[in-house]
Amino acid sequence: MQYVLVSSCLLGNPVRYDGRGASHDNAVLARWRDEGRVVAVCPEMAGGMPVPRPPAEIEPDADAAAVLAGRARVMAVSGEDVTTPFVHGAQAALAAARQHAIGIAVLKEGSPSCGSGYVYDGHFAGRKQPGVGVTAELLARAGLRVFSEKQWDEAQACLAGLEAADGR
């Protein structure tokens, strides 16, 4: 059986920066949970961030690849550099994926850790821009297929393809 890495907040766990969850009532997720496939991860908490915590964004004109290369930072709205916990959390998520031989992840869109289609522009003004979060970037580099919570059906199709290839 293939496992799936899922952002903990999508399971309703109150781990987001604002102390809330982002629960999703989705048939695919419900089935995965019932089948025991879900490995929950909150990279920010795994990196040592508290709940609640100040909102954070990748600094303007930078991206997750630059953060991982040490050329850019993740900054909290308070002005604190929170790059280190974001990178450590991404590494923890990758370690969990490797431990369970996970090939796909469904992560919270828009997060500076987990975004897979967009992130915020670094000005804390609510403006979205195409891009990925630090964890999504690291997982994708390691060969995982990364989906957002808006792509459950695509993630399920990918999982079915992985299992067919494995003969599971």
Side-chain angles (χ1 to χ4, degrees):
M1 175 175 65
Q2 284 271 343
Y3 292 95
V4 181
L5 199 67
V6 177
S7 289
S8 185
C9 64
L10 296 177
L11 303 171
N13 297 320
V15 296
R16 288 173 43 92
Y17 74 94
D18 58 7
R20 297 183 309 170
S23 185
H24 274 262
D25 289 329
N26 179 279
V28 171
L29 178 59
R31 184 171 63 252
W32 288 350
R33 288 179 89 169
D34 290 346
E35 293 169 351
R37 295 180 181 273
V38 173
V39 175
V41 64
C42 174
E44 293 167 27
M45 287 196 63
M49 301 287 294
V51 175
R53 57 190 168 270
E57 297 182 7
I58 297 170
E59 62 187 348
D61 302 317
D63 61 16
V67 171
L68 289 169
R71 297 188 317 267
R73 302 174 299 171
V74 180
M75 300 298 294
V77 68
S78 61
E80 179 186 2
D81 181 342
V82 292
T83 305
T84 298
F86 273 75
V87 171
H88 288 167
Q91 292 166 340
L94 179 56
R98 286 181 171 156
Q99 177 185 353
H100 296 282
I102 291 174
I104 70 169
V106 180
L107 304 177
K108 179 69 181 106
E109 188 63 272
S111 159
S113 287
C114 296
S116 61
Y118 74 84
V119 292
Y120 290 90
D121 71 2
H123 294 285
F124 297 96
R127 290 188 301 264
K128 300 173 186 174
Q129 66 183 17
V132 300
V134 177
T135 297
E137 174 75 14
L138 190 63
L139 293 176
R141 284 184 186 183
L144 275 79
R145 291 285 311 275
V146 179
F147 299 91
S148 81
E149 75 275 16
K150 297 174 175 134
Q151 299 175 300
W152 294 108
D153 291 338
E154 294 93 330
Q156 173 55 45
C158 182
L159 180 66
L162 289 173
E163 289 190 332
D166 284 349
R168 294 181 190 185

